[in-house]
PDB file of all heavy atoms in Angstrom:
ATOM      1  N   GLU Y 121     -24.524 -44.690 -13.595  1.00 91.00           N
ATOM      2  CA  GLU Y 121     -23.433 -43.856 -14.105  1.00 91.00           C
ATOM      3  C   GLU Y 121     -23.865 -42.392 -14.188  1.00 91.00           C
ATOM      4  O   GLU Y 121     -23.067 -41.473 -13.887  1.00 91.00           O
ATOM      5  CB  GLU Y 121     -23.050 -44.405 -15.496  1.00 91.00           C
ATOM      6  CG  GLU Y 121     -22.074 -43.565 -16.310  1.00 91.00           C
ATOM      7  CD  GLU Y 121     -20.664 -43.497 -15.726  1.00 91.00           C
ATOM      8  OE1 GLU Y 121     -20.395 -44.290 -14.794  1.00 91.00           O
ATOM      9  OE2 GLU Y 121     -19.903 -42.643 -16.197  1.00 91.00           O
ATOM     10  N   LEU Y 122     -25.082 -42.158 -14.537  1.00 89.00           N
ATOM     11  CA  LEU Y 122     -25.606 -40.777 -14.644  1.00 89.00           C
ATOM     12  C   LEU Y 122     -25.589 -40.097 -13.296  1.00 89.00           C
ATOM     13  O   LEU Y 122     -25.161 -38.962 -13.173  1.00 89.00           O
ATOM     14  CB  LEU Y 122     -27.045 -40.789 -15.150  1.00 89.00           C
ATOM     15  CG  LEU Y 122     -27.248 -41.279 -16.552  1.00 89.00           C
ATOM     16  CD1 LEU Y 122     -28.738 -41.445 -16.852  1.00 89.00           C
ATOM     17  CD2 LEU Y 122     -26.593 -40.317 -17.558  1.00 89.00           C
ATOM     18  N   PHE Y 123     -26.036 -40.827 -12.293  1.00 79.00           N
ATOM     19  CA  PHE Y 123     -26.130 -40.257 -10.972  1.00 79.00           C
ATOM     20  C   PHE Y 123     -24.757 -39.855 -10.450  1.00 79.00           C
ATOM     21  O   PHE Y 123     -24.521 -38.816  -9.911  1.00 79.00           O
ATOM     22  CB  PHE Y 123     -26.814 -41.214  -9.971  1.00 79.00           C
ATOM     23  CG  PHE Y 123     -27.332 -40.537  -8.759  1.00 79.00           C
ATOM     24  CD1 PHE Y 123     -28.581 -39.919  -8.770  1.00 79.00           C
ATOM     25  CD2 PHE Y 123     -26.553 -40.453  -7.612  1.00 79.00           C
ATOM     26  CE1 PHE Y 123     -29.033 -39.231  -7.659  1.00 79.00           C
ATOM     27  CE2 PHE Y 123     -27.003 -39.757  -6.510  1.00 79.00           C
ATOM     28  CZ  PHE Y 123     -28.257 -39.151  -6.522  1.00 79.00           C
ATOM     29  N   ARG Y 124     -23.801 -40.757 -10.732  1.00 82.00           N
ATOM     30  CA  ARG Y 124     -22.397 -40.492 -10.325  1.00 82.00           C
ATOM     31  C   ARG Y 124     -21.868 -39.242 -11.025  1.00 82.00           C
ATOM     32  O   ARG Y 124     -21.331 -38.341 -10.384  1.00 82.00           O
ATOM     33  CB  ARG Y 124     -21.553 -41.717 -10.727  1.00 82.00           C
ATOM     34  CG  ARG Y 124     -20.247 -41.839  -9.994  1.00 82.00           C
ATOM     35  CD  ARG Y 124     -19.438 -43.012 -10.482  1.00 82.00           C
ATOM     36  NE  ARG Y 124     -19.102 -42.917 -11.932  1.00 82.00           N
ATOM     37  CZ  ARG Y 124     -18.238 -42.109 -12.465  1.00 82.00           C
ATOM     38  NH1 ARG Y 124     -17.583 -41.230 -11.692  1.00 82.00           N
ATOM     39  NH2 ARG Y 124     -18.001 -42.084 -13.730  1.00 82.00           N
ATOM     40  N   ARG Y 125     -22.082 -39.154 -12.333  1.00 83.00           N
ATOM     41  CA  ARG Y 125     -21.569 -38.014 -13.091  1.00 83.00           C
ATOM     42  C   ARG Y 125     -22.226 -36.703 -12.633  1.00 83.00           C
ATOM     43  O   ARG Y 125     -21.566 -35.705 -12.498  1.00 83.00           O
ATOM     44  CB  ARG Y 125     -21.870 -38.181 -14.591  1.00 83.00           C
ATOM     45  CG  ARG Y 125     -21.057 -39.279 -15.271  1.00 83.00           C
ATOM     46  CD  ARG Y 125     -21.288 -39.156 -16.754  1.00 83.00           C
ATOM     47  NE  ARG Y 125     -20.939 -40.374 -17.445  1.00 83.00           N
ATOM     48  CZ  ARG Y 125     -21.168 -40.571 -18.756  1.00 83.00           C
ATOM     49  NH1 ARG Y 125     -21.755 -39.626 -19.459  1.00 83.00           N
ATOM     50  NH2 ARG Y 125     -20.831 -41.682 -19.360  1.00 83.00           N
ATOM     51  N   LEU Y 126     -23.545 -36.752 -12.452  1.00 79.00           N
ATOM     52  CA  LEU Y 126     -24.271 -35.535 -12.073  1.00 79.00           C
ATOM     53  C   LEU Y 126     -23.864 -35.067 -10.696  1.00 79.00           C
ATOM     54  O   LEU Y 126     -23.741 -33.892 -10.447  1.00 79.00           O
ATOM     55  CB  LEU Y 126     -25.799 -35.797 -12.136  1.00 79.00           C
ATOM     56  CG  LEU Y 126     -26.368 -35.898 -13.518  1.00 79.00           C
ATOM     57  CD1 LEU Y 126     -27.758 -36.527 -13.476  1.00 79.00           C
ATOM     58  CD2 LEU Y 126     -26.407 -34.543 -14.225  1.00 79.00           C
ATOM     59  N   ALA Y 127     -23.627 -35.982  -9.772  1.00 77.00           N
ATOM     60  CA  ALA Y 127     -23.224 -35.607  -8.436  1.00 77.00           C
ATOM     61  C   ALA Y 127     -21.871 -35.010  -8.465  1.00 77.00           C
ATOM     62  O   ALA Y 127     -21.579 -34.044  -7.753  1.00 77.00           O
ATOM     63  CB  ALA Y 127     -23.234 -36.856  -7.537  1.00 77.00           C
ATOM     64  N   GLU Y 128     -20.955 -35.498  -9.321  1.00 80.00           N
ATOM     65  CA  GLU Y 128     -19.616 -34.969  -9.439  1.00 80.00           C
ATOM     66  C   GLU Y 128     -19.617 -33.534  -9.980  1.00 80.00           C
ATOM     67  O   GLU Y 128     -18.784 -32.739  -9.588  1.00 80.00           O
ATOM     68  CB  GLU Y 128     -18.808 -35.839 -10.436  1.00 80.00           C
ATOM     69  CG  GLU Y 128     -17.791 -36.696  -9.714  1.00 80.00           C
ATOM     70  CD  GLU Y 128     -17.102 -37.641 -10.700  1.00 80.00           C
ATOM     71  OE1 GLU Y 128     -17.075 -37.348 -11.924  1.00 80.00           O
ATOM     72  OE2 GLU Y 128     -16.693 -38.741 -10.234  1.00 80.00           O
ATOM     73  N   ARG Y 129     -20.529 -33.281 -10.918  1.00 75.00           N
ATOM     74  CA  ARG Y 129     -20.577 -31.994 -11.557  1.00 75.00           C
ATOM     75  C   ARG Y 129     -20.903 -30.878 -10.541  1.00 75.00           C
ATOM     76  O   ARG Y 129     -20.401 -29.773 -10.645  1.00 75.00           O
ATOM     77  CB  ARG Y 129     -21.654 -32.017 -12.653  1.00 75.00           C
ATOM     78  CG  ARG Y 129     -21.362 -31.203 -13.844  1.00 75.00           C
ATOM     79  CD  ARG Y 129     -22.057 -31.702 -15.076  1.00 75.00           C
ATOM     80  NE  ARG Y 129     -23.490 -31.481 -15.016  1.00 75.00           N
ATOM     81  CZ  ARG Y 129     -24.333 -31.821 -15.995  1.00 75.00           C
ATOM     82  NH1 ARG Y 129     -23.870 -32.440 -17.069  1.00 75.00           N
ATOM     83  NH2 ARG Y 129     -25.632 -31.576 -15.899  1.00 75.00           N
ATOM     84  N   GLY Y 130     -21.766 -31.209  -9.554  1.00 65.00           N
ATOM     85  CA  GLY Y 130     -22.002 -30.364  -8.405  1.00 65.00           C
ATOM     86  C   GLY Y 130     -22.476 -28.950  -8.664  1.00 65.00           C
ATOM     87  O   GLY Y 130     -22.114 -28.029  -7.927  1.00 65.00           O
ATOM     88  N   ARG Y 131     -23.288 -28.699  -9.697  1.00 63.00           N
ATOM     89  CA  ARG Y 131     -23.829 -27.377  -9.880  1.00 63.00           C
ATOM     90  C   ARG Y 131     -24.913 -27.137  -8.823  1.00 63.00           C
ATOM     91  O   ARG Y 131     -25.391 -28.058  -8.172  1.00 63.00           O
ATOM     92  CB  ARG Y 131     -24.498 -27.210 -11.253  1.00 63.00           C
ATOM     93  CG  ARG Y 131     -23.486 -27.166 -12.406  1.00 63.00           C
ATOM     94  CD  ARG Y 131     -24.159 -26.634 -13.652  1.00 63.00           C
ATOM     95  NE  ARG Y 131     -25.526 -27.167 -13.851  1.00 63.00           N
ATOM     96  CZ  ARG Y 131     -25.931 -27.679 -14.985  1.00 63.00           C
ATOM     97  NH1 ARG Y 131     -25.120 -27.778 -16.012  1.00 63.00           N
ATOM     98  NH2 ARG Y 131     -27.160 -28.098 -15.121  1.00 63.00           N
ATOM     99  N   ALA Y 132     -25.304 -25.857  -8.671  1.00 59.00           N
ATOM    100  CA  ALA Y 132     -26.328 -25.517  -7.689  1.00 59.00           C
ATOM    101  C   ALA Y 132     -27.621 -26.267  -7.936  1.00 59.00           C
ATOM    102  O   ALA Y 132     -28.325 -26.683  -7.023  1.00 59.00           O
ATOM    103  CB  ALA Y 132     -26.573 -24.025  -7.690  1.00 59.00           C
ATOM    104  N   ASP Y 133     -27.928 -26.478  -9.233  1.00 58.00           N
ATOM    105  CA  ASP Y 133     -29.201 -27.149  -9.553  1.00 58.00           C
ATOM    106  C   ASP Y 133     -29.049 -28.673  -9.557  1.00 58.00           C
ATOM    107  O   ASP Y 133     -29.881 -29.409 -10.008  1.00 58.00           O
ATOM    108  CB  ASP Y 133     -29.732 -26.671 -10.911  1.00 58.00           C
ATOM    109  CG  ASP Y 133     -28.788 -26.999 -12.078  1.00 58.00           C
ATOM    110  OD1 ASP Y 133     -27.635 -27.345 -11.811  1.00 58.00           O
ATOM    111  OD2 ASP Y 133     -29.201 -26.899 -13.228  1.00 58.00           O
ATOM    112  N   ASP Y 134     -27.894 -29.158  -9.062  1.00 70.00           N
ATOM    113  CA  ASP Y 134     -27.613 -30.570  -9.086  1.00 70.00           C
ATOM    114  C   ASP Y 134     -27.624 -31.161  -7.651  1.00 70.00           C
ATOM    115  O   ASP Y 134     -26.832 -32.083  -7.379  1.00 70.00           O
ATOM    116  CB  ASP Y 134     -26.257 -30.860  -9.758  1.00 70.00           C
ATOM    117  CG  ASP Y 134     -26.371 -30.737 -11.289  1.00 70.00           C
ATOM    118  OD1 ASP Y 134     -27.475 -30.652 -11.823  1.00 70.00           O
ATOM    119  OD2 ASP Y 134     -25.320 -30.721 -11.920  1.00 70.00           O
ATOM    120  N   SER Y 135     -28.440 -30.703  -6.773  1.00 84.00           N
ATOM    121  CA  SER Y 135     -28.520 -31.314  -5.460  1.00 84.00           C
ATOM    122  C   SER Y 135     -29.088 -32.725  -5.670  1.00 84.00           C
ATOM    123  O   SER Y 135     -29.787 -32.949  -6.652  1.00 84.00           O
ATOM    124  CB  SER Y 135     -29.452 -30.535  -4.561  1.00 84.00           C
ATOM    125  OG  SER Y 135     -30.785 -30.785  -4.913  1.00 84.00           O
ATOM    126  N   PRO Y 136     -28.768 -33.655  -4.755  1.00 84.00           N
ATOM    127  CA  PRO Y 136     -29.219 -35.059  -4.969  1.00 84.00           C
ATOM    128  C   PRO Y 136     -30.701 -35.148  -5.240  1.00 84.00           C
ATOM    129  O   PRO Y 136     -31.143 -35.919  -6.115  1.00 84.00           O
ATOM    130  CB  PRO Y 136     -28.839 -35.754  -3.673  1.00 84.00           C
ATOM    131  CG  PRO Y 136     -27.702 -34.945  -3.133  1.00 84.00           C
ATOM    132  CD  PRO Y 136     -27.918 -33.544  -3.551  1.00 84.00           C
ATOM    133  N   GLU Y 137     -31.485 -34.334  -4.556  1.00 89.00           N
ATOM    134  CA  GLU Y 137     -32.923 -34.368  -4.734  1.00 89.00           C
ATOM    135  C   GLU Y 137     -33.332 -33.928  -6.159  1.00 89.00           C
ATOM    136  O   GLU Y 137     -34.188 -34.537  -6.824  1.00 89.00           O
ATOM    137  CB  GLU Y 137     -33.610 -33.547  -3.678  1.00 89.00           C
ATOM    138  CG  GLU Y 137     -35.118 -33.690  -3.573  1.00 89.00           C
ATOM    139  CD  GLU Y 137     -35.594 -35.126  -3.747  1.00 89.00           C
ATOM    140  OE1 GLU Y 137     -35.000 -36.054  -3.151  1.00 89.00           O
ATOM    141  OE2 GLU Y 137     -36.531 -35.364  -4.578  1.00 89.00           O
ATOM    142  N   VAL Y 138     -32.709 -32.864  -6.607  1.00 89.00           N
ATOM    143  CA  VAL Y 138     -32.979 -32.348  -7.979  1.00 89.00           C
ATOM    144  C   VAL Y 138     -32.543 -33.345  -9.028  1.00 89.00           C
ATOM    145  O   VAL Y 138     -33.219 -33.552 -10.008  1.00 89.00           O
ATOM    146  CB  VAL Y 138     -32.390 -30.950  -8.159  1.00 89.00           C
ATOM    147  CG1 VAL Y 138     -32.477 -30.520  -9.610  1.00 89.00           C
ATOM    148  CG2 VAL Y 138     -33.017 -29.947  -7.250  1.00 89.00           C
ATOM    149  N   ILE Y 139     -31.400 -33.978  -8.774  1.00 87.00           N
ATOM    150  CA  ILE Y 139     -30.876 -34.960  -9.726  1.00 87.00           C
ATOM    151  C   ILE Y 139     -31.888 -36.099  -9.817  1.00 87.00           C
ATOM    152  O   ILE Y 139     -32.211 -36.569 -10.939  1.00 87.00           O
ATOM    153  CB  ILE Y 139     -29.499 -35.531  -9.267  1.00 87.00           C
ATOM    154  CG1 ILE Y 139     -28.439 -34.439  -9.332  1.00 87.00           C
ATOM    155  CG2 ILE Y 139     -29.105 -36.733 -10.105  1.00 87.00           C
ATOM    156  CD1 ILE Y 139     -27.118 -34.850  -8.716  1.00 87.00           C
ATOM    157  N   ARG Y 140     -32.341 -36.565  -8.676  1.00 90.00           N
ATOM    158  CA  ARG Y 140     -33.302 -37.663  -8.669  1.00 90.00           C
ATOM    159  C   ARG Y 140     -34.558 -37.300  -9.479  1.00 90.00           C
ATOM    160  O   ARG Y 140     -35.058 -38.076 -10.275  1.00 90.00           O
ATOM    161  CB  ARG Y 140     -33.675 -38.008  -7.235  1.00 90.00           C
ATOM    162  CG  ARG Y 140     -33.948 -39.468  -6.997  1.00 90.00           C
ATOM    163  CD  ARG Y 140     -33.966 -39.822  -5.524  1.00 90.00           C
ATOM    164  NE  ARG Y 140     -32.640 -39.794  -4.949  1.00 90.00           N
ATOM    165  CZ  ARG Y 140     -32.301 -39.153  -3.807  1.00 90.00           C
ATOM    166  NH1 ARG Y 140     -33.167 -38.421  -3.149  1.00 90.00           N
ATOM    167  NH2 ARG Y 140     -31.048 -39.206  -3.365  1.00 90.00           N
ATOM    168  N   GLN Y 141     -35.011 -36.072  -9.268  1.00 94.00           N
ATOM    169  CA  GLN Y 141     -36.192 -35.567  -9.963  1.00 94.00           C
ATOM    170  C   GLN Y 141     -35.970 -35.508 -11.489  1.00 94.00           C
ATOM    171  O   GLN Y 141     -36.863 -35.918 -12.254  1.00 94.00           O
ATOM    172  CB  GLN Y 141     -36.501 -34.164  -9.385  1.00 94.00           C
ATOM    173  CG  GLN Y 141     -37.735 -33.505  -9.950  1.00 94.00           C
ATOM    174  CD  GLN Y 141     -39.011 -34.192  -9.595  1.00 94.00           C
ATOM    175  OE1 GLN Y 141     -39.698 -34.703 -10.463  1.00 94.00           O
ATOM    176  NE2 GLN Y 141     -39.310 -34.236  -8.292  1.00 94.00           N
TER     177      GLN Y 141
END
Side-chain angles (χ1 to χ4, degrees):
E121 171 67 11
L122 294 171
F123 200 84
R124 200 184 60 71
R125 289 190 200 174
L126 287 165
E128 253 173 26
R129 213 154 72 179
R131 289 197 317 231
D133 62 346
D134 285 348
S135 77
E137 191 39 47
V138 171
I139 293 172
R140 214 165 288 129
Q141 181 68 243

